[in-house]
Amino acid sequence: MNNLVILPLIIPLITGIILMFLKDHVRLQKTVSVISFLITIGLSAALVQTVYKKGIQMHELGDWPAPFGIVLVADLFSSLLVFTASIVSFCCVLFAFRSIGKEREKFFFYAFVQFLVTGVIGAFLTGDIFNLFVFFEVMLMSSYVLIVLGGTKIQLRESIKYILVNIISSALFVIAVGYLYSVTGTLNMADLSVRISEVNQPGILTVIAILFLIVFGLKGAIFPLYFWLPGSYEAPPASVTALFGALLTKVGVYSIFRTFTLLFYHDQSFTHTIIGYMALLTIIIGAVGAIAYWDIKKILIYNIIIAVGVILYGVTLATPEGLTGAIYYLLHDMVIKGALFLLAGAMIVITGTSKIKEMGGLIKRHPLLGWMFFLAVIALAGIPPLSGFVGKLLLLQSGLETENYTFVAVLLISSLLVLYSVMKIFINCFWREPRLSAEQEKGSTKGLLYPPFMLLILSIFMGVGAEWIYPYVAEAAQTLSDPSIYIHSVLKE
Amino acid sequence: MKVNDLVLQTVAKVIVFMIIIFSIYLFWTGHYTPGGGFVGGLMASSGLVLLLVAFDVETVKNVIPFDYKMLIATGLLVAVLTGLGSFLFDVPFLTHTFGYLHLPALGEVSLATASLFDLGVYLVVVGVTMTIIQTIGENE
C-alpha cells in the first residue's frame, strides 16, 4: 500500500467538491484552486522520485488483491505524465484567472477544471481497463461542460459535434471491453497481459486490438478519425483550448501506448504496421492543415494532430530508444502546446481576432510576448537547445536504426512545415507595420504572460537539462518495452 | 382555463410519503436484496417529481427549501470522506468494514460502512435528478 499513488487523484477530486460549495466566492475559489494545484504538483513530483528510486508503486483500492480489485499503478511513464499534466493545468488555470470572466467563474468553471484534472490523472494511473473507461468519462463529461460553458453560438454548435463523436467512441469502448472480457474473463491490465500471452493473441484478440485502436484513435485524433478536432477546439476560450490541447488527446495517445505495449504486442507485423501507416498519414494531414490556414487557432490545432502522429509512430519503433524518444516528445509536447495556446490567447486578447491578416506589428508594444512566442515556436520545431530537439533526435536515430526511412523523411519534412506554419504567425503578426494603435487594442496582457513564461522555462529546462531528465524517461521506456516488469509488480508472482 | 386538480393534489400528499418510505426501504436493504443508493435515490426523486406535477415549482420550493446543487456536492463529499476515512486506520482507500450491533427495538443488526458510501450516492442521485428537472421546468 502506498498512499502517494492515490493522493494526486484524490486532491483534485476533493478540491472540485469544495469549489462547488464556494459558488459565489470567486476570490476564495481562486485561492483554493492554487493551493490544491501546488499540493498536487508537489505530491506528483514526490511520486516520480519514489517510482524512480523504488520501482513501480501501486495502491489496491479497498484492500482487494490485484486481479480481483481495482489497482492504481504508477510506473515511471504514468507518473511523469501525471507530473507534467498537473503543471500544465496549473498554468492554464492561472491564465484563466485573468481571462475567463465573471460569468463563467460563477458557474463552476474552476470546479469543472478540477474534475477534468481528476479524470486525466486517473486515466494515467489506473491499472484496470474498465476503470480506464470510467476515468475517460469523468474527463469527457467535464470537457463537455468546459466546451459549452458561456453558451455562445459557436460553442453550442461545436459542442454538439464533440459530444456526438465522443458518445459514439465511448459506446465503442464499452463494446471493446465487453469483447475483451468475454474472451479473457478479466479486466485487470496485468492479468489481461498474462492471459493474452498464454493464448499468444489469436485472430479474435487482434480484432479487439484494432477496435481499441479505433476507440483511442477517436479520442486522440489520429488520421481517419481526427475530423471532429479542428472545429471543437476552436470554440472554447483560450485557457480551455490550452487545457484540451495539452491533455485530452494525450490521454488517447497514452492509452494506445499502454494497450499496445502491455496487452497486444504479439502480432506486431499486423497491428504495428497499421499504427505506423495511420501515424504517417496523421502527420501528413496535420501538416497540410497547418500550412493551409491563416488563423492562429487553426494552425496550432493542426500542430496538435502532427504531434499526435509523431508520438504514435514511437509505438511501432519497438526499441527502447524509439520509446524513449516518443515519451520525451510526449512530455515536451504537453508543455509546449500549453504555452503556445496561452500565448495565442494573449494575442487574441490584444487584437480581438484570430485572423493573421488582421494583425501586424505587435512586437512594437509587446516585445516580451513576441520573443516568448518566438522561443515557443523554435522549441516546437525542435531547434537544439530547446526541448523539442531531444525527442525528435531520439526518434530519428531509432528510425534510422530500424530502417524506417519513410518515417525519417516524413518527420524531417514535417518539422520544416511546422516551423513554416508557426513562423508564418510570428512574421505576420509581430513584424510588418502595426495595425492597431495603443488605444485601439481590445485588452491588456496584464497578468496573462507569466503562466506561459513558466511553461517556457520548463521547456528550456527540458532541453538544456536533458542530462537530468533523460534517465527518468529512459527508465520509463524500459518498463514499457518489457511488460513482465509491470506484470510482476502488480500480480506479485 | 383553471383546472381543478383537487383529486391529484390530495392523492399526491398521501402517496409521496409512501414513495419516500419505500425509497428509504430500498436504500437500507441494498446490501442483501436488490436495491441500494442509486435506485433508492431515483425513487425518492420520483416522489418529489410527483409533488412537482401536482403543485407548481414555486410551491414545492417553499415546502422543501433545498438547493439541490449543494445536495450533489454534499453527497460527493460524504462518499469521498467515507473512502478517506480508511486512511485513519492505515488501510487503502475505500476499504470498508462492518459489525454487528444489538439495538433496543430492532435486535441484532449488521451495520456496514459501505452504507455511508451508499448514502452519498443516494444524495447525489436525488440532487442530480432534481437539478435537471427543476432547471428544465423553470426555463421559459
Side-chain angles (χ1 to χ4, degrees), chain A residues 267-299:
Chain A
D267 191 6
Q268 297 204 351
S269 61
F270 182 73
T271 50
H272 286 46
T273 316
I274 290 183
I275 298 177
Y277 282 118
M278 280 170 112
L280 287 180
L281 286 168
T282 311
I283 302 175
I284 292 169
I285 285 291
V288 170
I291 54 179
Y293 284 97
W294 283 84
D295 182 295
I296 301 178
K297 276 190 164 183
K298 271 264 168 17
I299 292 175

PDB file of all heavy atoms in Angstrom, chain A residues 267-299:
ATOM      1  N   ASP A 267       1.270  -9.712 -32.134  1.00  0.00           N
ATOM      2  CA  ASP A 267       1.106  -9.782 -33.584  1.00  0.00           C
ATOM      3  C   ASP A 267       1.550  -8.450 -34.193  1.00  0.00           C
ATOM      4  O   ASP A 267       0.796  -7.781 -34.876  1.00  0.00           O
ATOM      5  CB  ASP A 267      -0.357 -10.082 -33.919  1.00  0.00           C
ATOM      6  CG  ASP A 267      -0.532 -10.440 -35.384  1.00  0.00           C
ATOM      7  OD1 ASP A 267       0.497 -10.565 -36.071  1.00  0.00           O
ATOM      8  OD2 ASP A 267      -1.674 -10.587 -35.831  1.00  0.00           O
ATOM      9  N   GLN A 268       2.817  -8.084 -33.939  1.00  0.00           N
ATOM     10  CA  GLN A 268       3.271  -6.741 -34.295  1.00  0.00           C
ATOM     11  C   GLN A 268       3.279  -6.505 -35.797  1.00  0.00           C
ATOM     12  O   GLN A 268       3.042  -5.384 -36.240  1.00  0.00           O
ATOM     13  CB  GLN A 268       4.669  -6.514 -33.734  1.00  0.00           C
ATOM     14  CG  GLN A 268       4.687  -6.561 -32.233  1.00  0.00           C
ATOM     15  CD  GLN A 268       5.850  -5.809 -31.669  1.00  0.00           C
ATOM     16  OE1 GLN A 268       6.735  -5.392 -32.385  1.00  0.00           O
ATOM     17  NE2 GLN A 268       5.862  -5.638 -30.365  1.00  0.00           N
ATOM     18  N   SER A 269       3.532  -7.571 -36.584  1.00  0.00           N
ATOM     19  CA  SER A 269       3.648  -7.321 -38.026  1.00  0.00           C
ATOM     20  C   SER A 269       2.321  -6.819 -38.592  1.00  0.00           C
ATOM     21  O   SER A 269       2.300  -6.090 -39.573  1.00  0.00           O
ATOM     22  CB  SER A 269       4.086  -8.595 -38.740  1.00  0.00           C
ATOM     23  OG  SER A 269       3.122  -9.600 -38.525  1.00  0.00           O
ATOM     24  N   PHE A 270       1.207  -7.198 -37.951  1.00  0.00           N
ATOM     25  CA  PHE A 270      -0.083  -6.705 -38.430  1.00  0.00           C
ATOM     26  C   PHE A 270      -0.474  -5.391 -37.751  1.00  0.00           C
ATOM     27  O   PHE A 270      -0.617  -4.353 -38.399  1.00  0.00           O
ATOM     28  CB  PHE A 270      -1.159  -7.769 -38.201  1.00  0.00           C
ATOM     29  CG  PHE A 270      -2.502  -7.367 -38.717  1.00  0.00           C
ATOM     30  CD1 PHE A 270      -2.748  -7.334 -40.081  1.00  0.00           C
ATOM     31  CD2 PHE A 270      -3.519  -7.008 -37.849  1.00  0.00           C
ATOM     32  CE1 PHE A 270      -3.979  -6.951 -40.570  1.00  0.00           C
ATOM     33  CE2 PHE A 270      -4.756  -6.621 -38.334  1.00  0.00           C
ATOM     34  CZ  PHE A 270      -4.980  -6.596 -39.697  1.00  0.00           C
ATOM     35  N   THR A 271      -0.624  -5.417 -36.403  1.00  0.00           N
ATOM     36  CA  THR A 271      -1.152  -4.228 -35.716  1.00  0.00           C
ATOM     37  C   THR A 271      -0.196  -3.042 -35.838  1.00  0.00           C
ATOM     38  O   THR A 271      -0.623  -1.928 -36.140  1.00  0.00           O
ATOM     39  CB  THR A 271      -1.383  -4.526 -34.231  1.00  0.00           C
ATOM     40  OG1 THR A 271      -0.205  -5.113 -33.693  1.00  0.00           O
ATOM     41  CG2 THR A 271      -2.553  -5.444 -34.031  1.00  0.00           C
ATOM     42  N   HIS A 272       1.100  -3.275 -35.626  1.00  0.00           N
ATOM     43  CA  HIS A 272       2.010  -2.140 -35.589  1.00  0.00           C
ATOM     44  C   HIS A 272       2.229  -1.551 -36.971  1.00  0.00           C
ATOM     45  O   HIS A 272       2.527  -0.364 -37.099  1.00  0.00           O
ATOM     46  CB  HIS A 272       3.326  -2.543 -34.925  1.00  0.00           C
ATOM     47  CG  HIS A 272       3.186  -2.695 -33.440  1.00  0.00           C
ATOM     48  ND1 HIS A 272       2.144  -3.382 -32.855  1.00  0.00           N
ATOM     49  CD2 HIS A 272       3.933  -2.221 -32.410  1.00  0.00           C
ATOM     50  CE1 HIS A 272       2.269  -3.340 -31.541  1.00  0.00           C
ATOM     51  NE2 HIS A 272       3.349  -2.643 -31.247  1.00  0.00           N
ATOM     52  N   THR A 273       2.048  -2.375 -38.040  1.00  0.00           N
ATOM     53  CA  THR A 273       2.124  -1.797 -39.386  1.00  0.00           C
ATOM     54  C   THR A 273       0.966  -0.838 -39.599  1.00  0.00           C
ATOM     55  O   THR A 273       1.144   0.267 -40.134  1.00  0.00           O
ATOM     56  CB  THR A 273       2.060  -2.912 -40.444  1.00  0.00           C
ATOM     57  OG1 THR A 273       2.907  -3.977 -40.025  1.00  0.00           O
ATOM     58  CG2 THR A 273       2.483  -2.414 -41.787  1.00  0.00           C
ATOM     59  N   ILE A 274      -0.237  -1.246 -39.158  1.00  0.00           N
ATOM     60  CA  ILE A 274      -1.401  -0.363 -39.318  1.00  0.00           C
ATOM     61  C   ILE A 274      -1.186   0.934 -38.537  1.00  0.00           C
ATOM     62  O   ILE A 274      -1.396   2.034 -39.060  1.00  0.00           O
ATOM     63  CB  ILE A 274      -2.683  -1.078 -38.839  1.00  0.00           C
ATOM     64  CG1 ILE A 274      -3.023  -2.201 -39.814  1.00  0.00           C
ATOM     65  CG2 ILE A 274      -3.831  -0.107 -38.718  1.00  0.00           C
ATOM     66  CD1 ILE A 274      -4.296  -2.910 -39.485  1.00  0.00           C
ATOM     67  N   ILE A 275      -0.723   0.804 -37.279  1.00  0.00           N
ATOM     68  CA  ILE A 275      -0.481   2.013 -36.483  1.00  0.00           C
ATOM     69  C   ILE A 275       0.532   2.897 -37.192  1.00  0.00           C
ATOM     70  O   ILE A 275       0.375   4.125 -37.251  1.00  0.00           O
ATOM     71  CB  ILE A 275       0.027   1.651 -35.074  1.00  0.00           C
ATOM     72  CG1 ILE A 275      -1.024   0.830 -34.334  1.00  0.00           C
ATOM     73  CG2 ILE A 275       0.343   2.894 -34.286  1.00  0.00           C
ATOM     74  CD1 ILE A 275      -0.563   0.387 -32.975  1.00  0.00           C
ATOM     75  N   GLY A 276       1.576   2.281 -37.760  1.00  0.00           N
ATOM     76  CA  GLY A 276       2.614   3.054 -38.441  1.00  0.00           C
ATOM     77  C   GLY A 276       2.034   3.863 -39.593  1.00  0.00           C
ATOM     78  O   GLY A 276       2.271   5.074 -39.689  1.00  0.00           O
ATOM     79  N   TYR A 277       1.243   3.210 -40.465  1.00  0.00           N
ATOM     80  CA  TYR A 277       0.676   3.956 -41.593  1.00  0.00           C
ATOM     81  C   TYR A 277      -0.273   5.041 -41.117  1.00  0.00           C
ATOM     82  O   TYR A 277      -0.285   6.154 -41.651  1.00  0.00           O
ATOM     83  CB  TYR A 277      -0.031   3.000 -42.553  1.00  0.00           C
ATOM     84  CG  TYR A 277       0.934   2.263 -43.432  1.00  0.00           C
ATOM     85  CD1 TYR A 277       1.041   0.881 -43.392  1.00  0.00           C
ATOM     86  CD2 TYR A 277       1.770   2.965 -44.296  1.00  0.00           C
ATOM     87  CE1 TYR A 277       1.945   0.205 -44.192  1.00  0.00           C
ATOM     88  CE2 TYR A 277       2.686   2.306 -45.097  1.00  0.00           C
ATOM     89  CZ  TYR A 277       2.762   0.922 -45.035  1.00  0.00           C
ATOM     90  OH  TYR A 277       3.672   0.283 -45.814  1.00  0.00           O
ATOM     91  N   MET A 278      -1.096   4.720 -40.098  1.00  0.00           N
ATOM     92  CA  MET A 278      -2.021   5.747 -39.587  1.00  0.00           C
ATOM     93  C   MET A 278      -1.249   6.942 -39.039  1.00  0.00           C
ATOM     94  O   MET A 278      -1.613   8.092 -39.261  1.00  0.00           O
ATOM     95  CB  MET A 278      -2.899   5.153 -38.481  1.00  0.00           C
ATOM     96  CG  MET A 278      -4.064   4.343 -39.004  1.00  0.00           C
ATOM     97  SD  MET A 278      -4.839   3.462 -37.661  1.00  0.00           S
ATOM     98  CE  MET A 278      -6.403   4.286 -37.574  1.00  0.00           C
ATOM     99  N   ALA A 279      -0.127   6.654 -38.342  1.00  0.00           N
ATOM    100  CA  ALA A 279       0.661   7.750 -37.769  1.00  0.00           C
ATOM    101  C   ALA A 279       1.240   8.614 -38.880  1.00  0.00           C
ATOM    102  O   ALA A 279       1.191   9.856 -38.811  1.00  0.00           O
ATOM    103  CB  ALA A 279       1.769   7.184 -36.893  1.00  0.00           C
ATOM    104  N   LEU A 280       1.774   7.977 -39.942  1.00  0.00           N
ATOM    105  CA  LEU A 280       2.363   8.762 -41.032  1.00  0.00           C
ATOM    106  C   LEU A 280       1.308   9.649 -41.680  1.00  0.00           C
ATOM    107  O   LEU A 280       1.535  10.837 -41.925  1.00  0.00           O
ATOM    108  CB  LEU A 280       2.968   7.820 -42.082  1.00  0.00           C
ATOM    109  CG  LEU A 280       4.260   7.126 -41.654  1.00  0.00           C
ATOM    110  CD1 LEU A 280       4.751   6.238 -42.770  1.00  0.00           C
ATOM    111  CD2 LEU A 280       5.311   8.157 -41.292  1.00  0.00           C
ATOM    112  N   LEU A 281       0.105   9.066 -41.951  1.00  0.00           N
ATOM    113  CA  LEU A 281      -0.949   9.863 -42.580  1.00  0.00           C
ATOM    114  C   LEU A 281      -1.407  10.983 -41.650  1.00  0.00           C
ATOM    115  O   LEU A 281      -1.754  12.076 -42.108  1.00  0.00           O
ATOM    116  CB  LEU A 281      -2.123   8.958 -42.951  1.00  0.00           C
ATOM    117  CG  LEU A 281      -1.831   8.071 -44.167  1.00  0.00           C
ATOM    118  CD1 LEU A 281      -2.882   6.997 -44.320  1.00  0.00           C
ATOM    119  CD2 LEU A 281      -1.762   8.914 -45.421  1.00  0.00           C
ATOM    120  N   THR A 282      -1.405  10.708 -40.323  1.00  0.00           N
ATOM    121  CA  THR A 282      -1.779  11.768 -39.381  1.00  0.00           C
ATOM    122  C   THR A 282      -0.815  12.937 -39.484  1.00  0.00           C
ATOM    123  O   THR A 282      -1.235  14.102 -39.507  1.00  0.00           O
ATOM    124  CB  THR A 282      -1.751  11.204 -37.940  1.00  0.00           C
ATOM    125  OG1 THR A 282      -2.474  10.001 -37.915  1.00  0.00           O
ATOM    126  CG2 THR A 282      -2.348  12.183 -36.973  1.00  0.00           C
ATOM    127  N   ILE A 283       0.499  12.620 -39.562  1.00  0.00           N
ATOM    128  CA  ILE A 283       1.477  13.705 -39.678  1.00  0.00           C
ATOM    129  C   ILE A 283       1.222  14.497 -40.953  1.00  0.00           C
ATOM    130  O   ILE A 283       1.203  15.734 -40.947  1.00  0.00           O
ATOM    131  CB  ILE A 283       2.917  13.141 -39.688  1.00  0.00           C
ATOM    132  CG1 ILE A 283       3.180  12.331 -38.428  1.00  0.00           C
ATOM    133  CG2 ILE A 283       3.925  14.266 -39.800  1.00  0.00           C
ATOM    134  CD1 ILE A 283       4.520  11.648 -38.423  1.00  0.00           C
ATOM    135  N   ILE A 284       0.969  13.776 -42.069  1.00  0.00           N
ATOM    136  CA  ILE A 284       0.812  14.466 -43.353  1.00  0.00           C
ATOM    137  C   ILE A 284      -0.438  15.362 -43.331  1.00  0.00           C
ATOM    138  O   ILE A 284      -0.375  16.540 -43.695  1.00  0.00           O
ATOM    139  CB  ILE A 284       0.726  13.437 -44.500  1.00  0.00           C
ATOM    140  CG1 ILE A 284       2.082  12.739 -44.645  1.00  0.00           C
ATOM    141  CG2 ILE A 284       0.340  14.108 -45.805  1.00  0.00           C
ATOM    142  CD1 ILE A 284       2.066  11.546 -45.547  1.00  0.00           C
ATOM    143  N   ILE A 285      -1.574  14.787 -42.842  1.00  0.00           N
ATOM    144  CA  ILE A 285      -2.814  15.578 -42.798  1.00  0.00           C
ATOM    145  C   ILE A 285      -2.633  16.805 -41.905  1.00  0.00           C
ATOM    146  O   ILE A 285      -3.040  17.920 -42.243  1.00  0.00           O
ATOM    147  CB  ILE A 285      -3.969  14.707 -42.264  1.00  0.00           C
ATOM    148  CG1 ILE A 285      -4.426  13.742 -43.344  1.00  0.00           C
ATOM    149  CG2 ILE A 285      -5.130  15.544 -41.793  1.00  0.00           C
ATOM    150  CD1 ILE A 285      -5.108  14.410 -44.500  1.00  0.00           C
ATOM    151  N   GLY A 286      -1.981  16.603 -40.744  1.00  0.00           N
ATOM    152  CA  GLY A 286      -1.746  17.727 -39.844  1.00  0.00           C
ATOM    153  C   GLY A 286      -0.915  18.794 -40.515  1.00  0.00           C
ATOM    154  O   GLY A 286      -1.218  19.988 -40.399  1.00  0.00           O
ATOM    155  N   ALA A 287       0.125  18.368 -41.260  1.00  0.00           N
ATOM    156  CA  ALA A 287       0.997  19.350 -41.908  1.00  0.00           C
ATOM    157  C   ALA A 287       0.238  20.109 -42.982  1.00  0.00           C
ATOM    158  O   ALA A 287       0.393  21.331 -43.112  1.00  0.00           O
ATOM    159  CB  ALA A 287       2.214  18.641 -42.504  1.00  0.00           C
ATOM    160  N   VAL A 288      -0.611  19.394 -43.730  1.00  0.00           N
ATOM    161  CA  VAL A 288      -1.404  20.073 -44.762  1.00  0.00           C
ATOM    162  C   VAL A 288      -2.296  21.139 -44.130  1.00  0.00           C
ATOM    163  O   VAL A 288      -2.354  22.284 -44.579  1.00  0.00           O
ATOM    164  CB  VAL A 288      -2.262  19.039 -45.539  1.00  0.00           C
ATOM    165  CG1 VAL A 288      -3.264  19.739 -46.428  1.00  0.00           C
ATOM    166  CG2 VAL A 288      -1.367  18.141 -46.365  1.00  0.00           C
ATOM    167  N   GLY A 289      -2.970  20.746 -43.018  1.00  0.00           N
ATOM    168  CA  GLY A 289      -3.840  21.715 -42.353  1.00  0.00           C
ATOM    169  C   GLY A 289      -3.056  22.887 -41.796  1.00  0.00           C
ATOM    170  O   GLY A 289      -3.502  24.040 -41.861  1.00  0.00           O
ATOM    171  N   ALA A 290      -1.877  22.603 -41.218  1.00  0.00           N
ATOM    172  CA  ALA A 290      -1.117  23.666 -40.560  1.00  0.00           C
ATOM    173  C   ALA A 290      -0.641  24.710 -41.554  1.00  0.00           C
ATOM    174  O   ALA A 290      -0.590  25.896 -41.225  1.00  0.00           O
ATOM    175  CB  ALA A 290       0.074  23.070 -39.812  1.00  0.00           C
ATOM    176  N   ILE A 291      -0.281  24.297 -42.786  1.00  0.00           N
ATOM    177  CA  ILE A 291       0.163  25.331 -43.721  1.00  0.00           C
ATOM    178  C   ILE A 291      -0.993  25.943 -44.497  1.00  0.00           C
ATOM    179  O   ILE A 291      -0.838  26.993 -45.106  1.00  0.00           O
ATOM    180  CB  ILE A 291       1.234  24.799 -44.712  1.00  0.00           C
ATOM    181  CG1 ILE A 291       0.742  23.558 -45.417  1.00  0.00           C
ATOM    182  CG2 ILE A 291       2.549  24.549 -44.020  1.00  0.00           C
ATOM    183  CD1 ILE A 291       1.737  23.010 -46.403  1.00  0.00           C
ATOM    184  N   ALA A 292      -2.184  25.325 -44.450  1.00  0.00           N
ATOM    185  CA  ALA A 292      -3.277  25.834 -45.278  1.00  0.00           C
ATOM    186  C   ALA A 292      -3.942  27.072 -44.681  1.00  0.00           C
ATOM    187  O   ALA A 292      -4.367  27.955 -45.405  1.00  0.00           O
ATOM    188  CB  ALA A 292      -4.322  24.745 -45.480  1.00  0.00           C
ATOM    189  N   TYR A 293      -4.017  27.177 -43.344  1.00  0.00           N
ATOM    190  CA  TYR A 293      -4.887  28.187 -42.750  1.00  0.00           C
ATOM    191  C   TYR A 293      -4.156  29.493 -42.446  1.00  0.00           C
ATOM    192  O   TYR A 293      -2.935  29.522 -42.283  1.00  0.00           O
ATOM    193  CB  TYR A 293      -5.512  27.652 -41.462  1.00  0.00           C
ATOM    194  CG  TYR A 293      -6.627  26.677 -41.733  1.00  0.00           C
ATOM    195  CD1 TYR A 293      -6.401  25.306 -41.711  1.00  0.00           C
ATOM    196  CD2 TYR A 293      -7.897  27.132 -42.038  1.00  0.00           C
ATOM    197  CE1 TYR A 293      -7.415  24.413 -41.979  1.00  0.00           C
ATOM    198  CE2 TYR A 293      -8.919  26.248 -42.313  1.00  0.00           C
ATOM    199  CZ  TYR A 293      -8.670  24.899 -42.275  1.00  0.00           C
ATOM    200  OH  TYR A 293      -9.683  24.023 -42.548  1.00  0.00           O
ATOM    201  N   TRP A 294      -4.914  30.573 -42.382  1.00  0.00           N
ATOM    202  CA  TRP A 294      -4.405  31.876 -41.951  1.00  0.00           C
ATOM    203  C   TRP A 294      -5.127  32.291 -40.675  1.00  0.00           C
ATOM    204  O   TRP A 294      -5.601  33.409 -40.553  1.00  0.00           O
ATOM    205  CB  TRP A 294      -4.600  32.919 -43.053  1.00  0.00           C
ATOM    206  CG  TRP A 294      -3.593  32.769 -44.140  1.00  0.00           C
ATOM    207  CD1 TRP A 294      -3.674  31.916 -45.187  1.00  0.00           C
ATOM    208  CD2 TRP A 294      -2.349  33.446 -44.261  1.00  0.00           C
ATOM    209  NE1 TRP A 294      -2.544  32.021 -45.960  1.00  0.00           N
ATOM    210  CE2 TRP A 294      -1.725  32.952 -45.428  1.00  0.00           C
ATOM    211  CE3 TRP A 294      -1.700  34.424 -43.500  1.00  0.00           C
ATOM    212  CZ2 TRP A 294      -0.479  33.412 -45.846  1.00  0.00           C
ATOM    213  CZ3 TRP A 294      -0.468  34.886 -43.932  1.00  0.00           C
ATOM    214  CH2 TRP A 294       0.143  34.366 -45.086  1.00  0.00           C
ATOM    215  N   ASP A 295      -5.207  31.366 -39.742  1.00  0.00           N
ATOM    216  CA  ASP A 295      -5.920  31.619 -38.497  1.00  0.00           C
ATOM    217  C   ASP A 295      -5.090  30.987 -37.381  1.00  0.00           C
ATOM    218  O   ASP A 295      -4.730  29.808 -37.470  1.00  0.00           O
ATOM    219  CB  ASP A 295      -7.307  30.958 -38.592  1.00  0.00           C
ATOM    220  CG  ASP A 295      -8.149  31.205 -37.377  1.00  0.00           C
ATOM    221  OD1 ASP A 295      -7.773  30.722 -36.290  1.00  0.00           O
ATOM    222  OD2 ASP A 295      -9.175  31.870 -37.509  1.00  0.00           O
ATOM    223  N   ILE A 296      -4.754  31.770 -36.352  1.00  0.00           N
ATOM    224  CA  ILE A 296      -3.795  31.293 -35.349  1.00  0.00           C
ATOM    225  C   ILE A 296      -4.267  30.012 -34.702  1.00  0.00           C
ATOM    226  O   ILE A 296      -3.527  29.028 -34.600  1.00  0.00           O
ATOM    227  CB  ILE A 296      -3.597  32.347 -34.242  1.00  0.00           C
ATOM    228  CG1 ILE A 296      -3.095  33.640 -34.827  1.00  0.00           C
ATOM    229  CG2 ILE A 296      -2.610  31.862 -33.219  1.00  0.00           C
ATOM    230  CD1 ILE A 296      -2.930  34.702 -33.799  1.00  0.00           C
ATOM    231  N   LYS A 297      -5.551  30.003 -34.249  1.00  0.00           N
ATOM    232  CA  LYS A 297      -6.046  28.830 -33.532  1.00  0.00           C
ATOM    233  C   LYS A 297      -6.007  27.602 -34.410  1.00  0.00           C
ATOM    234  O   LYS A 297      -5.576  26.529 -33.990  1.00  0.00           O
ATOM    235  CB  LYS A 297      -7.475  29.081 -33.045  1.00  0.00           C
ATOM    236  CG  LYS A 297      -7.560  29.827 -31.734  1.00  0.00           C
ATOM    237  CD  LYS A 297      -8.986  29.802 -31.221  1.00  0.00           C
ATOM    238  CE  LYS A 297      -9.022  30.176 -29.752  1.00  0.00           C
ATOM    239  NZ  LYS A 297     -10.381  30.089 -29.214  1.00  0.00           N
ATOM    240  N   LYS A 298      -6.459  27.738 -35.691  1.00  0.00           N
ATOM    241  CA  LYS A 298      -6.497  26.598 -36.603  1.00  0.00           C
ATOM    242  C   LYS A 298      -5.097  26.024 -36.814  1.00  0.00           C
ATOM    243  O   LYS A 298      -4.896  24.811 -36.779  1.00  0.00           O
ATOM    244  CB  LYS A 298      -7.100  27.038 -37.948  1.00  0.00           C
ATOM    245  CG  LYS A 298      -8.618  26.911 -38.002  1.00  0.00           C
ATOM    246  CD  LYS A 298      -8.982  25.618 -38.647  1.00  0.00           C
ATOM    247  CE  LYS A 298     -10.413  25.177 -38.552  1.00  0.00           C
ATOM    248  NZ  LYS A 298     -11.482  26.009 -38.225  1.00  0.00           N
ATOM    249  N   ILE A 299      -4.111  26.897 -37.002  1.00  0.00           N
ATOM    250  CA  ILE A 299      -2.737  26.421 -37.242  1.00  0.00           C
ATOM    251  C   ILE A 299      -2.241  25.621 -36.043  1.00  0.00           C
ATOM    252  O   ILE A 299      -1.702  24.523 -36.183  1.00  0.00           O
ATOM    253  CB  ILE A 299      -1.804  27.608 -37.526  1.00  0.00           C
ATOM    254  CG1 ILE A 299      -2.171  28.250 -38.858  1.00  0.00           C
ATOM    255  CG2 ILE A 299      -0.352  27.167 -37.543  1.00  0.00           C
ATOM    256  CD1 ILE A 299      -1.392  29.479 -39.171  1.00  0.00           C
TER     257      ILE A 299
END
